[in-house]
Amino acid sequence: MASTISPAAAAAALASIATPTTLVGQHQLYTRIRLATPADVPHIHKLIYQMAVFQNETHLFTATESSLATTLFNSPPFQSFTVFILEVSSNPFKNIHSPAFLPIERTVLVDHVAADPEAETFKSGVVNENDDDDDDVTVAGFVLFVPSYTTFAGKPGFHVEDLLVRECYRRKGFGKMLLSAVAEQAVKMGFKRVEWSVLEWNVNAIKFYEEMGAKVLTEWRVCRLTGDALEAYGDANY
């Protein structure tokens, strides 16, 4: 099923995520959404595999770090494939140099900080403006999106290809933050809409998207040419 949301609605959702007041027994967790760089490819590759596991589609997973590195960063951000990285830290973030996109930082409160069994694997390699590594920064999720076009409106939009928050960081509003960041960028660029697909059995995601203001278009189906069916057109006489 396809889902669409007006950029203004999701951007408003992001703006509503204000810094909360800390209560006794709660912990502050600092979050940042930033543009991915080629240095993030190993993390992106692992996140995509985790998504394939969640969707029971590991048999379709053929991406390699090399294929991602050679395809994701050939164009300026927002003109082709673009990836936002979600990072978390127990300490405030240091500034990073990012002229194409100002990182979005939020502070969230959690009742307890869940143990991250893959914290070392997903340790961020981002370098701050002082040319130092941020030791306490972990990659918690990502969203990959591309430009699209709505002919009826005669305006561009964004299509979200993939969105994932790692399991130990779910149910904290991070998925909403990632999707809202895409919509906020769409608003800034004067785009008409943001759209994506959702699996029919993923009822929790469908409910979440509807709560964000998205319309789930049940009358639409995804059509796809791939594998031998696509390759057959390489020599077809049509």
Side-chain angles (χ1 to χ4, degrees):
M1 292 187 288
S3 301
T4 65
I5 188 172
S6 70
L14 179 63
S16 69
I17 306 174
T19 301
T21 301
T22 306
L23 301 177
V24 176
Q26 291 186 316
H27 304 270
Q28 284 190 335
L29 194 61
Y30 298 89
T31 70
R32 176 170 66 192
I33 294 174
R34 62 168 175 83
L35 275 175
T37 72
D40 293 304
V41 164
H43 293 141
I44 296 171
H45 184 256
K46 293 181 180 67
L47 289 167
I48 295 173
Y49 180 75
Q50 290 188 359
M51 186 166 48
V53 171
F54 175 75
Q55 296 179 355
N56 299 315
E57 293 183 335
T58 54
H59 60 289
L60 300 177
F61 182 80
T62 59
T64 64
E65 290 186 17
S66 177
S67 66
L68 295 175
T70 56
T71 55
L72 286 181
F73 302 98
N74 294 327
S75 301
F78 313 121
Q79 295 184 22
S80 183
F81 314 113
T82 302
V83 179
F84 283 161
I85 294 290
L86 168 68
E87 296 173 320
V88 298
S89 175
S90 57
N91 296 302
F93 291 98
K94 299 175 183 178
N95 292 333
I96 58 174
H97 181 66
S98 180
F101 175 78
L102 182 65
I104 299 171
E105 297 185 12
R106 296 285 187 272
T107 303
V108 300
L109 297 180
V110 294
D111 293 330
H112 67 280
V113 180
D116 185 349
E118 297 180 292
E120 190 62 30
T121 299
F122 282 95
K123 180 179 177 181
S124 178
V126 68
V127 176
N128 59 52
E129 289 184 344
N130 296 323
D131 293 328
D132 298 323
D133 289 337
D134 282 340
D135 293 333
D136 186 35
V137 178
T138 303
V139 173
F142 85 117
V143 59
L144 188 156
F145 55 103
V146 297
S148 61
Y149 197 82
T150 167
T151 53
F152 286 4
K155 289 187 177 182
F158 281 135
H159 175 79
V160 176
E161 178 65 24
D162 287 325
L163 184 152
L164 178 82
V165 174
R166 292 175 50 221
E167 186 172 1
C168 59
Y169 295 106
R170 292 173 188 165
R171 291 171 291 279
K172 294 177 174 58
F174 294 158
K176 180 179 181 180
M177 290 172 60
L178 280 167
L179 192 55
S180 298
V182 177
E184 183 180 38
Q185 185 63 33
V187 171
K188 290 179 179 179
M189 298 177 66
F191 284 10
K192 180 65 176 178
R193 69 186 181 196
V194 177
E195 60 185 358
W196 61 95
S197 298
V198 58
L199 292 167
E200 289 185 345
W201 55 260
N202 197 347
V203 293
N204 290 335
I206 293 172
K207 179 181 178 181
F208 161 64
Y209 296 145
E210 290 177 332
E211 289 174 349
M212 282 194 68
K215 295 180 180 179
V216 179
L217 309 177
T218 56
E219 67 273 20
W220 285 83
R221 292 181 178 271
V222 176
C223 300
R224 178 182 298 160
L225 272 175
T226 186
D228 292 342
L230 175 62
E231 293 298 327
Y233 283 89
D235 299 318
N237 296 316
Y238 51 86

